[in-house]
């Protein structure tokens, strides 16, 4: 039975514990909630030829009167009227879903091979996966331009080994295929590492027991390995799908005029048309489109637990 002093000590607030809890919330408040509220406010404003290019601007403490009445939702209504934005959202989701599936298809065998490699070799394999991060992301994407362009290294390689004629060229640059190649290459480590983390913790004696009971390897994989690795699959898919949906650099450098993604449209509205209110509305809808499914998934996971 606990003594009175131990009970009092357990009920006494621990400043260090509160500090650990408060710091992440302060971080979210400063770097997520506050910027989101600013963007949301701009999305309710009107375009103006001024600096900043919207009105009304943020009022002072004594100028709140009449400020709320000047805000409206016309930018959000315009998003539903112009098919360009709907096509951009749908195209971004399509590219993100296909890219995430390709990443899972390529990354899962890699992570499984790493998890089943000798323990002494695993740190080296992890380092090789992380190695591309030692080079700038932009430089790596530019390198793919030199590989995929019609007179690039890929065409030269295929001509050298005789798979293409001297006057033939690989015509995948400035297409969706080039965008998929760039995305899969750039985001592959983000898929492999969560999968490897989940697969490495798996108890291999379960597979041995399944084999002793006559279970074939392919069936043991679908009945044991894959279900146990689902947390890694979900984490890797979320980590890849969310930034791919708003990707701008890769479709801009490797994609063509027909490659439509919401990140590219957002950049055009901000810096090309200088329509900050409409661009802010595009950004708010994109954020809601990504956050709501994640919150629904988290609630479902809590119910399961």
């Amino acid at each position: 039975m606990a003594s009175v002093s131990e009970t009092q000590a357990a009920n006494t607030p621990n400043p260090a514990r509160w500090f650990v809890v408060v710091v992440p919330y302060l971080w979210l408040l400063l770097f997520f909630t506050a910027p989101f509220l600013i963007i949301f406010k701009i999305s309710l404003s009107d375009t103006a030829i001024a600096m900043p290019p919207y009105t009304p601007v943020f009022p002072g403490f004594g100028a709140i009167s009449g400020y709320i009445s000047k805000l409206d939702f016309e930018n959000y209504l315009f998003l539903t009227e112009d098919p360009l934005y709907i096509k951009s959202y749908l195209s971004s989701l399509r590219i993100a879903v296909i890219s995430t599936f390709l990443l899972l298809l390529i990354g899962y065998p890699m992570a499984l091979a790493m998890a089943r490699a000798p323990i002494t070799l695993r740190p080296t394999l992890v380092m090789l996966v992380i190695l591309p991060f030692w080079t700038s992301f932009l430089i790596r994407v530019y390198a793919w331009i030199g590989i995929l362009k019609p007179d690039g290294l890929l065409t030269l390689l295929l001509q050298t080994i005789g798979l293409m004629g001297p006057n033939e060229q690989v015509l995948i640059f400035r297409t969706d295929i080039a965008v998929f190649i760039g995305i899969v290459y750039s985001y592959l480590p983000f898929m492999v590492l969560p999968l490897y983390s989940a697969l490495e913790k798996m108890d291999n004696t379960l597979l041995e027991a399944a084999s002793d009971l006559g279970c074939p390897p392919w069936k043991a994989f679908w009945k044991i390995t894959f279900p146990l690795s689902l947390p890694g699959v979900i984490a890797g898919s979320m980590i890849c799908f969310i930034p791919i949906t708003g990707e701008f650099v890769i479709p801009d450098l490797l994609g063509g005029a027909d490659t439509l993604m919401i990140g590219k449209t957002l950049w055009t509205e901000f810096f090309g048309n200088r329509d900050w209110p409409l661009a802010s509305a595009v950004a708010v809808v994109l954020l809601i489109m990504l956050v709501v499914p994640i919150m629904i998934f988290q609630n479902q996971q809590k119910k399961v637990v």
Side-chain angles (χ1 to χ4, degrees):
M1 190 172 181
S3 62
V4 176
S5 58
E6 291 176 351
T7 304
Q8 292 176 348
N11 296 329
T12 302
N14 189 347
R17 185 185 303 172
W18 281 104
F19 180 78
V20 171
V21 173
V22 168
V23 167
Y25 282 101
L26 287 176
W27 180 272
L28 288 174
L29 179 65
L30 291 174
F31 297 103
F32 178 79
T33 306
F36 173 77
L37 293 176
I38 293 172
I39 291 296
F40 181 66
K41 182 270 160 192
I42 295 175
S43 71
L44 301 177
S45 304
D46 296 319
T47 306
I49 303 176
M51 183 55 67
Y54 60 86
T55 183
V57 296
F58 293 97
F61 291 105
I64 302 297
S65 177
Y67 174 73
I68 301 299
S69 62
K70 297 179 182 179
L71 303 178
D72 54 59
F73 289 88
E74 64 179 10
N75 294 309
Y76 293 95
L77 294 176
F78 184 76
L79 293 182
T80 62
E81 297 170 355
D82 194 331
L84 170 66
Y85 302 101
I86 298 175
K87 290 179 180 178
S88 297
Y89 284 118
L90 294 178
S91 178
S92 296
L93 290 174
R94 176 182 63 85
I95 291 175
V97 169
I98 296 174
S99 299
T100 304
F101 176 75
L102 293 174
L103 285 164
L104 185 60
L105 203 63
I106 297 171
Y108 200 100
M110 292 178 60
L112 186 62
M114 291 168 59
R116 295 185 177 178
I119 296 178
T120 55
L121 190 60
R122 292 177 189 176
T124 304
L125 296 175
V126 173
M127 186 195 70
L128 291 175
V129 172
I130 300 174
L131 196 61
F133 290 120
W134 295 7
T135 306
S136 170
F137 169 76
L138 194 60
I139 293 175
R140 287 186 280 129
V141 176
Y142 269 112
W144 277 105
I145 297 178
I147 296 172
L148 299 176
K149 65 182 181 180
D151 56 345
L153 296 177
L154 182 58
T155 297
L156 180 62
L157 175 63
L158 295 178
Q159 290 175 348
T160 302
I161 62 179
L163 294 180
M164 293 183 65
N167 297 323
E168 295 179 324
Q169 293 179 329
V170 178
L171 301 178
I172 62 175
F173 184 54
R174 295 296 182 188
T175 65
D176 285 353
I177 296 176
V179 174
F180 286 127
I181 292 173
I183 289 175
V184 170
Y185 165 76
S186 301
Y187 286 89
L188 189 59
F190 295 106
M191 178 64 76
V192 172
L193 293 177
L195 288 171
Y196 168 72
S197 177
L199 290 168
E200 188 189 26
K201 298 174 184 177
M202 193 181 70
D203 188 359
N204 291 324
T205 58
L206 297 174
L207 296 176
E208 296 175 3
S211 178
D212 292 339
L213 294 173
C215 184
W218 65 268
K219 194 171 184 179
F221 171 80
W222 287 112
K223 293 289 185 179
I224 300 173
T225 304
F226 188 76
L228 291 176
S229 65
L230 274 179
V233 172
I234 295 171
S237 299
M238 288 289 185
I239 291 172
C240 294
F241 177 81
I242 292 172
I244 290 173
T245 304
E247 181 61 53
F248 161 71
V249 174
I250 295 174
D252 186 58
L253 296 179
L254 300 181
D258 296 332
T259 304
L260 198 60
M261 291 193 73
I262 197 63
K264 205 172 175 181
T265 305
L266 187 61
W267 188 93
T268 302
E269 292 295 344
F270 257 117
F271 301 102
N273 301 335
R274 288 187 59 79
D275 193 341
W276 285 22
L278 183 60
S280 299
V282 173
V284 170
V285 173
L286 176 62
L287 183 63
I288 294 173
M289 187 173 65
L290 294 176
V291 168
V292 170
I294 296 173
M295 294 176 64
I296 294 174
F297 170 76
Q298 288 180 338
N299 289 332
Q300 291 297 325
Q301 288 295 104
K302 291 179 180 178
K303 291 179 182 178
V304 172
V305 175

